[in-house]
Amino acid sequence: MELIPVPGVRNFRDAGDLPTTSGAQLASGLLYRSGSLHEITEDGTRHLAELGLRTVIDLRSQPELDVWPDRALGADVAVLHLPTFPPREATAEEIAAERDNEERDAEAGRESLEGLYAFMAETAGPAIARSLSALARPGALPALLHCAVGKDRTGITVATLQSALGVSDAEILDHYFVSNSALGLDQGPVLYVDEFGVERRSRAISRDLLSAFFARMRERHGEARAYVRAHGVTDAELAALEAAFLLTP
């Protein structure tokens, strides 16, 4: 679970190379995860080209894209905007409160991190399903899946895919938790400037957050495969993902 150095991109790493409970191995080199590409350098772009990327899935909201658009990687890379959060208009009171919220997180927006994960467990199923369906398309891989800094929205989407393919919770949680050291959050909150030009703090994730997401998902659907099926992933798409990602002994 080592970081891959890509100039201008934070938290870039492979989402594979993990064992499954069935004895198979999740293949590496097919799905990467990271923060946004709005600061990627020319060297970083060349590095991604060397990885053979065919698809980039951006989980951010439209306002985020308006302020921090990804830099283009080339005509041969399909870019999909599949926002995790359902769009809604903020009230004037919410916008004012957001400006005054010093604890606002880079990914959480108006929510606390605890509130964010509860919200995602309830509402992110359709977006996660669309991402998995996109990855199952012929020619979609290798792919990169990202949000703002690659820890929360990316974290739950990658974790759901890993779980649906048979990776254990323990392995998934270890992979998820790497974002803290990758972003320097293991040393304490990190300051950043939001889309309004206001300085904020980005906070560390805890294993309890993703565990809570899984618990809510399983309370409603039993397990990850049933969760994504309920939101539109077909059996044929799950079979395509298994064929692509699972290496059997």
Side-chain angles (χ1 to χ4, degrees):
M1 285 179 274
E2 294 183 358
L3 293 177
I4 300 172
V6 177
V9 184
R10 292 176 289 179
N11 202 8
F12 193 102
R13 61 192 196 268
D14 200 310
D17 197 25
L18 296 172
T20 70
T21 56
S22 68
Q25 185 83 3
L26 215 62
S28 62
L30 293 181
L31 179 62
Y32 301 94
R33 55 175 295 174
S34 75
S36 67
L37 307 182
H38 70 283
E39 294 182 328
I40 191 170
T41 66
E42 290 185 8
D43 284 344
T45 299
R46 283 192 290 269
H47 192 119
L48 295 191
E50 291 170 0
L51 296 177
L53 286 185
R54 303 296 300 166
T55 306
V56 171
I57 299 176
D58 190 336
L59 304 178
R60 296 176 298 162
S61 66
Q62 187 59 51
E64 289 173 284
L65 270 65
D66 292 340
V67 177
W68 298 298
D70 278 353
R71 293 185 177 176
L73 298 181
D76 56 343
V77 179
V79 178
L80 304 177
H81 178 215
L82 302 176
T84 299
F85 301 132
R88 73 181 184 92
E89 292 294 327
T91 66
E93 290 78 10
E94 286 175 327
I95 293 172
E98 186 173 349
R99 287 178 181 271
D100 294 336
N101 179 12
E102 292 183 357
E103 294 302 315
R104 179 186 185 274
D105 189 80
E107 302 253 338
R110 285 180 290 276
E111 309 286 342
S112 68
L113 276 180
E114 293 76 14
L116 172 71
Y117 275 75
F119 181 71
M120 291 192 295
E122 296 292 341
T123 63
I128 293 172
R130 288 194 295 271
S131 294
L132 268 60
S133 294
L135 295 173
R137 295 174 187 169
L141 304 174
L144 169 65
L145 192 148
H146 80 79
C147 50
V149 296
K151 67 183 178 76
D152 297 308
R153 290 168 286 186
T154 296
I156 64 159
T157 304
V158 169
T160 302
L161 171 63
Q162 292 167 338
S163 184
L165 292 174
V167 180
S168 71
D169 283 7
E171 292 283 353
I172 292 170
L173 286 167
D174 284 347
H175 177 89
Y176 161 80
F177 205 57
V178 171
S179 286
N180 278 344
S181 57
L183 297 167
L185 297 171
D186 54 342
Q187 305 299 315
V190 173
L191 297 176
Y192 73 100
V193 177
D194 72 7
E195 60 268 38
F196 302 109
V198 179
E199 189 175 75
R200 306 289 190 183
R201 295 182 181 93
S202 184
R203 293 165 293 147
I205 53 174
S206 72
R207 297 170 191 265
D208 290 345
L209 293 171
L210 187 59
S211 295
F213 175 87
F214 275 152
R216 183 67 62 88
M217 176 186 75
R218 288 165 179 157
E219 176 186 332
R220 299 295 180 87
H221 298 279
E223 44 88 27
R225 293 174 72 89
Y227 177 73
V228 297
R229 280 194 186 103
H231 293 292
V233 176
T234 67
D235 287 340
E237 288 168 338
L238 284 170
L241 291 169
E242 289 178 338
F245 280 96
L246 295 185
L247 304 175
T248 56

